[in-house]
């Protein structure tokens, strides 16, 4: 295939959409309809708008976002499964002027990494956590996550999650909001454009909390995994709206007073 | 320089501060806790990072994070903590960033006890974690040597971009001895060219232990192995005592080596031509030096505070050139010089045959005791 160079526009066109500086040119490996890519873009836009790219250090998790450091045009490291908040702590304690964020899935953050997230939050670690709740283990092929809904079928709950033997979903935004070290803990969804806009604003505040030294900040984002949910992208968006949002109410669980006053 | 009377754990902590450690992350465990406690007081005084982590799992991952910024960073723990740190140690090795880990060994396995032991030998020489890598492992036999090795450990970790263990048996951590501390070193300011810290005016840097393509991972494995070979060539450390005319050689590290030295001196005063070889670097192991001794000596006596974990390395080094007797105490028991003296006498009176199984003979002896 030959690609011809774009001809020079005669009139000056207004640029309405471009790739954030904080994203690389690399095509992501995410499946069609997966909201990981949307979340990456929102984080990158916020980093651009705040002008913090050159201070930022991103921490990729073990999970589908394991290669996130390749997609962000900033310094990055790759943590062991669930340990990103501890790694973030180590970085932030020696480089207090840097802007450190973790990007974690629900298996990573709410299962194997439960101790690390709780204690980073309790310490009021000045880090920003982007928490992708897709109610499943994406990378390993769709096993049950701590956030899997009751009756939800996964490859390790083939008859649907039985709460008697497999327990109940965990609501992280609410749990973290109980800790004094937390400046910001909210839940948003990414199932439609209006919610995505709200998600971006929350991500902005979660970074503002850090640069203002207010404490620990987390945004939980209800997300899709069409591949392992065995749904089309559209069905997956609807499933978030119809099943996840009722189980994981959207809202602000803790917002530091200084953030409430901010206009972003 | 002034000499001070210091507890091993405290001396190691202060030595790390003098060596310019930027950050310390740890979790309390006996017989190591005084190291953490000293750091909790001194690191903030020096304007450096100290944090008591929620677990050893968290501590080692904090170390990992700080190491990725090029900071001098360390943790300290004991065997149960090393077990929990195994995953993080492997990630640190796979990412090729430097870190120093102090293991003040206690009796085990399991919860064991808090008495001195050398039971973590096999665990640490392979770095505890999964995958192909070797840490450097240094074993002091006195508080002063612990201080000296801690100072060196940071330079070695940075030189070879690897994990360096300082393994002190519990007695080294707990005992008080006069030591000369090194002067306070200038903290290094420039961060290495691989470190993350914000992509200001340069391309982003990414540190990972993930190499999805096997051919790339293999290249990384080979790079790590080549660096290890460099360390093997240049960083072997040991001490020899009365070896010049020795017909019999006792081999022991750490406290076992120290106890054995008293026994060697006592045996010499009774006319037995015996010397002591004390490995200081357990990795790289002083294989060549032991092989050389094996070609000269009549017999070896290996003394350890475990069930013969180093014995296997001595056997491999000796290549059957010399018969070997083994004597170990386990579970937190420390051998007395008299016990080792009796072993030396038994060795001189009736050297074992090269075909003997040293561990089997020792086990039979322990069954009678
Ligand atoms: C110690 C350890 N245990 C298990 C795994 C395997 N593993 C890789 S990703 C993953 C689950 C990830 O799920 P989640 O955090 O929900 O992220 P997603 O893939 O859905 O984005 C698991 C169990 C691992 N890499 N390390
Ligand atoms: S498996 Fe699921 S979470 Fe992973 S990229 Fe595909 S859709 Fe996204």
């Amino acid at each position: 295939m030959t690609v011809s160079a774009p001809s020079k526009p005669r009139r000056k066109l207004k640029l309405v959409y471009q790739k954030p500086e904080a994203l690389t040119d690399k095509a992501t490996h995410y499946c069609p309809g997966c909201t990981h890519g949307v979340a990456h873009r929102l984080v990158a836009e916020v980093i651009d708008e705040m002008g913090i790219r050159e201070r930022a250090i991103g921490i990729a998790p073990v999970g589908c976002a394991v290669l996130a450091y390749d997609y962000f045009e900033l310094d990055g490291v790759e943590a062991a499964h669930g340990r990103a908040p501890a790694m973030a702590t180590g970085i932030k304690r020696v480089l207090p002027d840097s802007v450190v964020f973790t990007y974690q899935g629900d298996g990573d953050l709410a299962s194997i990494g439960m101790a690390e997230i709780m204690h980073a939050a309790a310490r009021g670690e000045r880090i920003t956590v982007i928490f992708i709740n897709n109610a499943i283990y994406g990378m390993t092929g769709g096993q049950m996550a701590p956030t899997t809904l009751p009756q939800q079928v996964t490859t390790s709950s083939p008859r649907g999650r039985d709460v008697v033997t497999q327990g109940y979903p965990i609501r992280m935004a609410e749990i973290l909001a109980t800790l004094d070290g937390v400046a910001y803990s909210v839940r948003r969804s990414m199932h439609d454009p209006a919610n995505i806009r709200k998600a971006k604003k929350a991500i902005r505040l979660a970074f503002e909390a850090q640069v203002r030294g207010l404490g620990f900040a987390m945004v939980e984002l209800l997300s899709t995994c069409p591949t392992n949910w065995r749904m089309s992208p559209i069905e997956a968006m609807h499933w978030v709206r119809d099943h996840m949002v009722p189980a994981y109410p959207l809202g602000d669980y803790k917002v530091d007073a200084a953030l409430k006053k901010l206009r972003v | 320089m002034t000499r001070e009377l210091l507890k091993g754990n405290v001396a190691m902590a202060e030595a790390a501060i003098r060596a310019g450690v930027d950050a310390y992350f740890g979790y309390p465990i006996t017989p190591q806790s005084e190291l953490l406690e000293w750091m909790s007081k001194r690191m903030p005084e020096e304007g450096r990072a100290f944090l008591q982590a929620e677990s050893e799992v968290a501590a080692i991952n904090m170390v990992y994070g700080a190491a990725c910024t090029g900071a001098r960073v360390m943790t300290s723990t004991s065997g149960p903590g090393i077990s929990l740190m195994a995953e993080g140690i492997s990630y640190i090795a796979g990412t090729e960033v430097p870190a120093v880990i102090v293991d003040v060994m206690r009796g085990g396995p399991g919860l064991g006890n808090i008495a001195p032991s050398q039971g973590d030998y096999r665990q640490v020489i392979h770095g505890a974690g999964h995958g192909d890598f070797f840490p450097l492992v240094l074993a002091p036999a006195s508080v002063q040597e612990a201080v000296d090795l801690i100072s060196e450990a940071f330079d070695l970790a940075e030189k070879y971009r690897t994990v360096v263990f300082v393994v002190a048996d519990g007695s080294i951590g707990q005992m008080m001895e006069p030591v000369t501390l090194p002067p306070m070193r200038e903290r290094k300011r420039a961060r290495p060219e691989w470190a993350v810290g914000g992509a200001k005016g340069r391309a982003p840097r990414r540190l990972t232990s993930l190499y999805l393509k096997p051919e790339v991972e293999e290249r990384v494995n080979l790079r790590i192995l080549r660096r290890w070979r460099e360390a093997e060539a240049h960083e072997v450390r040991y001490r020899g005592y009365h070896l010049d005319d020795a017909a019999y050689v006792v081999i022991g590290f750490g406290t076992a080596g120290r106890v054995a030295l008293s026994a060697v001196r006592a045996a010499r005063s009774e006319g037995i031509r015996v010397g002591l070889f004390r490995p200081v670097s357990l990795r790289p192991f002083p294989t060549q030096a032991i092989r050389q001794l094996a070609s000269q000596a009549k017999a070896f006596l290996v003394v350890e505070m475990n069930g013969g974990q180093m014995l296997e390395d001595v056997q491999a080094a000796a290549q059957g050139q010399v018969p070997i007797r083994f004597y170990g105490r386990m579970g937190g028991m420390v051998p007395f010089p008299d016990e080792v003296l009796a072993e030396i006498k038994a060795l001189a009176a009736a050297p074992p045959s090269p075909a003997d199984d040293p561990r089997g003979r020792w086990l039979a002896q322990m069954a009678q005791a």
Side-chain angles (χ1 to χ4, degrees):
Chain A
M1 194 175 77
T2 55
V3 181
S4 53
S7 55
K8 260 203 176 144
R10 266 180 235 123
R11 270 176 300 127
K12 249 208 157 146
L13 295 178
K14 196 169 148 235
L15 189 64
V16 290
Y17 188 85
Q18 67 178 342
K19 182 180 71 66
E21 243 190 275
L23 281 186
T24 62
D25 290 332
K26 250 199 168 129
T28 71
H29 66 284
Y30 301 119
C31 311
C34 175
T35 45
H36 267 308
V38 179
H40 282 26
R41 181 170 173 110
L42 297 184
V43 169
E45 285 179 1
V46 165
I47 287 173
D48 277 8
E49 287 164 19
M50 290 176 70
I52 52 176
R53 192 185 68 82
E54 294 187 329
R55 298 204 269 150
I57 302 169
I59 304 181
V62 170
C64 275
V66 69
L67 289 169
Y69 54 79
D70 276 343
Y71 305 140
F72 288 109
E73 184 67 8
L74 39 87
D75 276 9
V77 299
E78 207 295 304
H81 197 15
R83 318 295 175 218
M87 213 180 169
T89 300
I91 294 174
K92 188 74 180 181
R93 292 294 177 116
V94 293
L95 297 176
D97 296 330
S98 59
V99 177
V100 180
F101 69 95
T102 72
Y103 183 103
Q104 304 177 254
D106 41 24
D108 195 77
L109 181 142
S111 189
I112 196 168
M114 188 58 124
E116 285 76 19
I117 194 71
M118 289 298 283
H119 284 273
R123 287 191 303 267
E125 218 60 64
R126 270 84 175 136
I127 61 171
T128 301
V129 175
I130 309 298
F131 171 36
I132 304 296
N133 178 357
N134 60 9
I136 207 153
Y137 281 18
M139 191 192 211
T140 40
Q143 296 83 6
M144 190 185 78
T147 45
T148 292
L149 300 183
Q151 303 310 321
Q152 187 183 334
V153 172
T154 71
T155 58
S156 58
S157 56
R159 284 184 291 273
R161 183 178 190 167
D162 169 13
V163 294
V164 176
T165 58
Q166 296 177 301
Y168 293 87
I170 297 176
R171 295 188 184 87
M172 288 308 298
E174 288 88 330
I175 291 174
L176 292 181
T178 65
L179 298 171
D180 291 347
V182 173
Y184 191 66
S185 181
V186 304
R187 182 179 297 113
R188 299 288 185 266
S189 177
M190 296 202 287
H191 69 266
D192 63 24
N195 277 287
I196 289 172
R197 271 196 296 279
K198 287 182 190 157
K200 179 175 170 187
K201 197 173 154 190
I203 292 170
R204 172 73 186 254
L205 287 175
F207 276 95
E208 292 285 352
Q210 179 176 175
V211 299
R212 284 155 203 276
L214 300 175
F216 176 94
M218 186 205 65
V219 180
E220 176 174 342
L221 298 170
L222 301 186
S223 304
T224 60
C225 179
T227 301
N228 289 303
W229 293 353
R230 316 263 191 269
M231 291 179 197
S232 71
I234 299 286
E235 285 166 353
M237 294 296 180
H238 291 167
W239 197 81
V240 172
R241 181 192 64 201
D242 299 339
H243 296 274
M244 286 189 76
V245 172
Y248 292 104
L250 307 183
D252 293 352
Y253 292 97
K254 188 163 185 191
V255 181
D256 187 283
L259 291 174
K260 281 188 185 142
K261 283 183 269 170
L262 270 188
R263 291 274 149 266
V264 295
Chain B
M1 251 180 240
T2 55
R3 278 166 80 73
E4 304 171 53
L5 193 63
L6 288 179
K7 197 173 198 174
N9 282 332
V10 170
M12 285 192 279
E14 186 59 30
I17 290 170
R18 306 263 174 120
V21 70
D22 296 303
Y24 172 93
F25 305 98
Y27 187 81
I29 182 169
T30 312
Q32 159 280 157
S33 295
E34 297 86 358
L35 205 163
L36 170 128
E37 288 165 359
W38 187 261
M39 287 301 200
S40 73
K41 173 169 162 282
R42 289 281 291 126
M43 291 295 274
E45 272 176 17
E46 296 288 331
R48 310 186 199 175
F50 165 87
L51 188 59
Q52 178 173 324
E54 61 269 30
S55 68
E56 289 88 348
V57 174
I60 194 68
N61 284 284
M62 291 172 186
V63 167
Y64 183 22
C68 286
T69 72
R72 287 206 146 174
V73 57
M74 78 178 283
T75 185
S76 57
T77 184
S78 188
I82 298 285
S83 296
L84 279 185
M85 289 183 182
E87 180 198 42
I89 294 169
S90 174
Y91 274 70
I92 291 171
T95 310
E96 303 166 80
V97 291
V100 172
I101 300 171
V102 175
D103 176 13
V104 188
M105 294 180 284
R106 56 189 255 170
L111 197 51
N113 58 42
I114 57 172
S117 157
Q118 299 181 332
D120 300 350
Y121 181 94
R122 286 270 149 208
Q123 183 185 31
V124 294
I125 60 169
H126 286 135
H130 56 283
D132 256 300
F133 73 97
F134 300 97
L136 275 79
V137 183
L138 307 172
S142 68
V143 176
Q144 183 66 58
E145 196 173 29
V147 164
D148 299 342
L149 292 178
I150 290 272
S151 310
E152 243 189 300
F154 290 99
D155 296 329
L156 290 172
E158 282 160 20
K159 183 170 175 196
Y160 297 102
R161 289 181 63 173
T162 189
V163 176
V164 177
F165 281 93
V166 176
V167 291
D169 37 71
S171 29
I172 308 283
Q174 290 302 315
M175 85 190 156
M176 289 188 90
E177 283 188 315
V179 288
T180 306
L181 288 167
M184 188 71 90
R185 271 204 249 172
E186 182 103 21
R187 276 165 83 196
K188 71 176 173 142
R189 292 273 167 258
R191 295 280 195 238
E193 80 292 343
W194 47 259
V196 298
K200 192 172 168 64
R202 59 159 171 78
R205 292 176 187 158
R206 297 169 177 103
L207 290 174
T208 183
S209 64
L210 174 74
Y211 300 97
L212 286 170
K213 293 199 177 88
E215 62 271 27
V216 178
E217 177 74 75
E218 187 182 52
R219 276 206 295 280
V220 175
N221 287 163
L222 289 170
R223 182 166 71 212
I224 292 172
L225 203 55
R226 284 198 189 96
R227 254 193 234 121
W228 166 248
R229 299 273 294 178
E230 279 288 297
E232 269 191 319
H234 298 110
E235 311 303 344
V236 172
R237 287 160 172 68
Y238 54 83
R239 292 285 302 272
Y241 308 82
H242 311 293
L243 285 174
D244 287 347
D245 65 341
Y248 306 99
V249 177
V250 183
I251 303 178
F253 71 94
T255 295
R258 181 179 171 135
V259 171
L261 183 58
S262 310
V264 161
R265 291 196 170 126
R268 284 234 156 221
S269 72
E270 295 184 27
I272 302 174
R273 284 195 293 123
V274 59
L276 172 72
F277 182 89
R278 181 166 66 78
V280 173
S281 59
L282 304 183
R283 280 298 181 275
F285 192 67
T287 302
Q288 291 308 330
I290 290 176
R291 190 160 296 161
Q292 181 67 31
L293 286 171
S295 69
Q296 298 158 359
K298 279 194 195 153
F300 280 177
L301 169 66
V302 175
V303 180
E304 297 183 71
M305 282 147 60
N306 60 44
Q309 298 189 27
M310 183 184 68
L311 169 65
E312 293 169 18
D313 291 325
V314 173
Q315 285 174 311
Q319 293 179 317
Q321 297 181 83
V322 70
I324 300 175
R325 187 179 171 99
F326 173 70
Y327 185 70
R329 295 305 304 263
M330 301 175 78
M333 297 297 289
V334 181
F336 284 107
D338 282 356
E339 291 171 66
V340 181
L341 178 60
E343 289 293 313
I344 294 170
K345 285 181 178 169
L347 183 76
S353 98
D356 278 358
D357 163 19
R359 192 184 268 135
R361 191 214 56 77
W362 163 70
L363 274 173
Q365 177 183 337
M366 292 302 277
Q368 282 161 18

